[in-house]
Amino acid sequence: MKSLLSLFLSLITMATFAQKNFEGKATYMSKTTMDMSRFGNQMSEQQKKQMMARMKNFLEKTYILSFNKNESSFKEEVKLDAPGTSGSRWGASNGQGSIYKNLKDREMIEDVEQFSKRFLVVEPMEQPKWELGTESKKIGQYTAYKATMTTVDTKIDWGGIFRRGRRNQENDSTKTEDKAAEKILNVTAWYTPQIPVSSGPESYWGLPGLILELNADRTTMLCTEIVINPSEPITIEKPKKGTKVTREKYNKIIKQKTEELKERFQNRRGGGRRGY
């Protein structure tokens, strides 16, 4: 009963704030774990540890969500490497961009650069089918409530790029990628009506309050800092530069380019041992 009462009072607060100018920035720490079992016996435990260390920039990131009542922009906070730690920067540099959401127009745009080309992946925002619960917990100074949903992950499985498949397994690999594109995700979110915006990290939204924590598959995003109504106004710009594509078309383009790169690399490696 206390949880329901707190939620009711928070919703009243949200409705009150909704009548005013309201904007802010939220910082999220993101951490993804890798399924090392996919490599089977192809790698030793030491090699797996070395790979995890090299991919830290890809698996652990910091993001900033800028938001107001109707719009939001979710973007990675890029940090410079410490001296002597350059290593593999693929995960930190490939595909950097932003995710723009417009609640009023129900439009989402992912601004992303791949293979030296900028894309604007445009998707309609259909209301997510969240199931609201009464379970609550404190995240910082805010009371957050639990919500869950099951959805289809239509994004590229970049983990497949790092699989070391044999040449005679290419057909099976392609099938695996197709199945991954239709992967079912069980998502858990913790949102707070104390911050009256129906937005959150990545492409998630649709709850009666800002999402402070999100768990989807092997990725967890946790809000570590919030600044409400900062002294300097927040500007959220709709992405305009790039080739507009649907999610389906974008996935098709990237898969095709990836296969071309794999084939080119294999041909080069196969002929590299021949001297001139």
Side-chain angles (χ1 to χ4, degrees):
M1 288 298 294
K2 288 184 178 180
S3 296
L4 288 174
L5 179 60
S6 298
L7 178 58
F8 178 71
L9 293 175
S10 296
L11 289 173
I12 293 177
T13 302
M14 181 176 179
T16 302
F17 274 115
Q19 305 302 319
K20 305 176 182 179
N21 292 330
F22 193 85
E23 59 184 20
K25 287 188 176 182
T27 301
Y28 293 85
M29 296 294 293
S30 173
K31 187 171 184 178
T32 301
T33 58
M34 264 189 85
D35 181 11
M36 301 305 292
S37 63
R38 68 175 61 179
F39 297 101
N41 297 323
Q42 299 177 23
M43 301 175 65
S44 66
E45 290 302 317
Q46 182 63 27
Q47 288 175 322
K48 291 179 181 179
K49 289 181 181 180
Q50 291 174 348
M51 173 175 278
M52 291 291 289
R54 288 197 301 268
M55 293 186 65
K56 185 176 181 180
N57 288 326
F58 177 69
L59 299 173
E60 298 180 13
K61 296 185 179 184
T62 302
Y63 293 90
I64 302 295
L65 177 71
S66 303
F67 59 84
N68 56 38
K69 289 189 297 182
N70 294 318
E71 297 174 288
S72 67
S73 178
F74 183 70
K75 190 171 185 178
E76 181 182 351
E77 182 181 48
V78 183
K79 296 181 180 179
L80 296 176
D81 289 327
T85 61
S86 57
S88 174
R89 291 292 298 168
W90 184 93
S93 62
N94 195 50
Q96 280 182 6
S98 65
I99 296 177
Y100 168 86
K101 295 192 285 283
N102 189 312
L103 301 177
K104 185 177 180 181
D105 297 336
R106 292 296 179 97
E107 182 181 49
M108 185 184 307
I109 302 175
E110 181 177 2
D111 176 6
V112 59
E113 184 174 341
Q114 298 289 2
F115 302 106
S116 301
K117 185 172 181 179
R118 183 157 293 279
F119 295 92
L120 297 180
V121 186
V122 182
E123 298 181 84
M125 294 174 67
E126 298 180 1
Q127 180 64 39
K129 298 179 180 179
W130 292 104
E131 293 186 13
L132 305 185
T134 58
E135 187 178 348
S136 65
K137 67 177 181 179
K138 280 285 189 180
I139 298 180
Q141 61 179 326
Y142 298 97
T143 300
Y145 296 89
K146 186 177 182 180
T148 58
M149 75 169 171
T150 300
T151 186
V152 177
D153 183 11
T154 59
K155 295 192 175 181
I156 296 288
D157 176 22
W158 285 110
I161 292 179
F162 298 99
R163 296 191 186 100
R164 293 184 177 180
R166 298 175 182 176
R167 292 188 184 185
N168 59 7
Q169 293 177 330
E170 287 183 359
N171 292 334
D172 292 338
S173 176
T174 302
K175 292 178 181 178
T176 300
E177 288 182 5
D178 290 340
K179 290 180 180 179
E182 300 177 352
K183 181 172 61 178
I184 301 299
L185 287 181
N186 293 316
V187 183
T188 299
W190 294 86
Y191 68 96
T192 178
Q194 292 173 269
I195 303 178
V197 290
S198 183
S199 193
E202 232 264 344
S203 58
Y204 295 94
W205 67 286
L207 285 166
L210 182 68
I211 297 174
L212 299 183
E213 182 180 331
L214 187 96
N215 299 280
D217 196 25
R218 293 180 174 274
T219 298
T220 296
M221 293 187 181
L222 178 64
C223 183
T224 57
E225 182 182 4
I226 297 175
V227 178
I228 301 296
N229 292 334
S231 55
E232 295 186 7
I234 294 175
T235 301
I236 300 175
E237 296 183 355
K238 179 178 179 179
K240 296 180 180 179
K241 295 182 180 180
T243 302
K244 288 187 177 182
V245 292
T246 63
R247 175 64 61 185
E248 184 179 2
K249 185 175 182 180
Y250 172 75
N251 288 354
K252 186 176 181 179
I253 292 172
I254 299 305
K255 286 180 181 179
Q256 182 179 347
K257 290 291 185 181
T258 302
E259 289 303 317
E260 289 175 1
L261 283 178
K262 284 182 180 179
E263 185 176 351
R264 194 178 306 169
F265 175 76
Q266 289 171 350
N267 291 338
R268 184 188 306 170
R269 187 172 59 177
R273 295 179 180 177
R274 299 175 185 176
Y276 288 93

